[in-house]
Short mmCIF file of all heavy atoms in Angstrom, two decimals:
data_model
loop_
_atom_site.label_atom_id
_atom_site.label_comp_id
_atom_site.label_asym_id
_atom_site.label_seq_id
_atom_site.Cartn_x
_atom_site.Cartn_y
_atom_site.Cartn_z
N LEU H 55 -1.78 13.57 23.10
CA LEU H 55 -3.00 14.30 23.67
C LEU H 55 -3.16 15.65 23.16
O LEU H 55 -2.10 16.24 22.52
CB LEU H 55 -2.85 14.47 25.24
CG LEU H 55 -2.79 13.10 26.07
CD1 LEU H 55 -2.46 13.34 27.52
CD2 LEU H 55 -4.08 12.43 25.87
N GLU H 62 6.62 21.54 20.23
CA GLU H 62 7.19 20.85 21.18
C GLU H 62 7.89 19.56 20.58
O GLU H 62 8.96 19.27 20.94
CB GLU H 62 6.18 20.33 22.24
CG GLU H 62 5.69 21.43 23.09
CD GLU H 62 4.60 20.91 24.05
OE1 GLU H 62 4.94 20.36 25.05
OE2 GLU H 62 3.27 20.90 23.65
N LEU H 171 46.48 9.14 11.35
CA LEU H 171 47.65 8.09 11.38
C LEU H 171 48.42 8.52 10.21
O LEU H 171 49.75 8.58 10.33
CB LEU H 171 47.22 6.75 11.11
CG LEU H 171 48.39 5.74 11.05
CD1 LEU H 171 49.29 5.65 12.20
CD2 LEU H 171 47.72 4.33 10.74
N HIS H 179 58.32 11.11 9.51
CA HIS H 179 59.34 10.74 8.54
C HIS H 179 59.68 11.87 7.61
O HIS H 179 60.35 11.57 6.64
CB HIS H 179 58.78 9.49 7.75
CG HIS H 179 58.76 8.16 8.59
ND1 HIS H 179 59.71 7.44 8.88
CD2 HIS H 179 57.63 7.66 9.17
CE1 HIS H 179 59.37 6.44 9.65
NE2 HIS H 179 58.05 6.57 9.70
N VAL H 375 39.75 0.64 12.36
CA VAL H 375 39.05 1.45 11.30
C VAL H 375 38.17 0.64 10.44
O VAL H 375 36.99 0.98 10.19
CB VAL H 375 40.11 2.35 10.44
CG1 VAL H 375 39.41 3.00 9.33
CG2 VAL H 375 40.75 3.28 11.36
N ALA H 396 7.53 -0.31 -1.23
CA ALA H 396 7.41 -0.80 -2.51
C ALA H 396 6.16 -1.78 -2.69
O ALA H 396 5.44 -1.73 -3.67
CB ALA H 396 8.68 -1.54 -2.94
N THR H 420 -1.95 -15.95 5.79
CA THR H 420 -3.32 -16.43 5.78
C THR H 420 -3.40 -17.90 5.36
O THR H 420 -2.80 -18.33 4.35
CB THR H 420 -4.07 -15.52 4.83
OG1 THR H 420 -4.13 -14.11 5.23
CG2 THR H 420 -5.53 -15.93 4.59
N ALA H 444 -46.13 -22.66 -19.10
CA ALA H 444 -46.90 -23.83 -18.94
C ALA H 444 -47.28 -24.42 -20.29
O ALA H 444 -46.95 -23.72 -21.38
CB ALA H 444 -48.25 -23.41 -18.28
N ALA H 516 -55.75 -18.94 -5.74
CA ALA H 516 -56.52 -18.94 -7.09
C ALA H 516 -56.96 -20.38 -7.20
O ALA H 516 -57.71 -20.72 -8.22
CB ALA H 516 -55.60 -18.62 -8.19
N ALA H 564 -15.34 -14.75 -9.66
CA ALA H 564 -15.30 -15.51 -8.37
C ALA H 564 -14.69 -16.94 -8.56
O ALA H 564 -13.96 -17.29 -7.75
CB ALA H 564 -16.71 -15.62 -7.83
N ALA H 588 -29.71 -22.00 -1.72
CA ALA H 588 -29.00 -21.04 -2.44
C ALA H 588 -27.48 -21.04 -2.12
O ALA H 588 -26.64 -20.90 -3.00
CB ALA H 588 -29.55 -19.58 -2.16
N ILE H 659 -7.45 -4.31 4.63
CA ILE H 659 -7.22 -4.06 3.27
C ILE H 659 -8.57 -3.74 2.52
O ILE H 659 -9.52 -4.34 2.77
CB ILE H 659 -6.60 -5.38 2.69
CG1 ILE H 659 -5.29 -5.73 3.41
CG2 ILE H 659 -6.35 -5.37 1.26
CD1 ILE H 659 -4.58 -7.06 2.96
N ASP H 671 -4.69 -11.79 -5.31
CA ASP H 671 -3.69 -10.89 -5.61
C ASP H 671 -3.06 -10.19 -4.36
O ASP H 671 -1.81 -10.11 -4.24
CB ASP H 671 -4.17 -9.85 -6.51
CG ASP H 671 -4.30 -10.27 -8.01
OD1 ASP H 671 -3.77 -11.30 -8.26
OD2 ASP H 671 -4.84 -9.52 -8.82
#
Side-chain angles (χ1 to χ4, degrees):
L55 295 173
E62 289 178 86
L171 174 61
H179 293 275
V375 168
T420 297
I659 298 175
D671 277 353

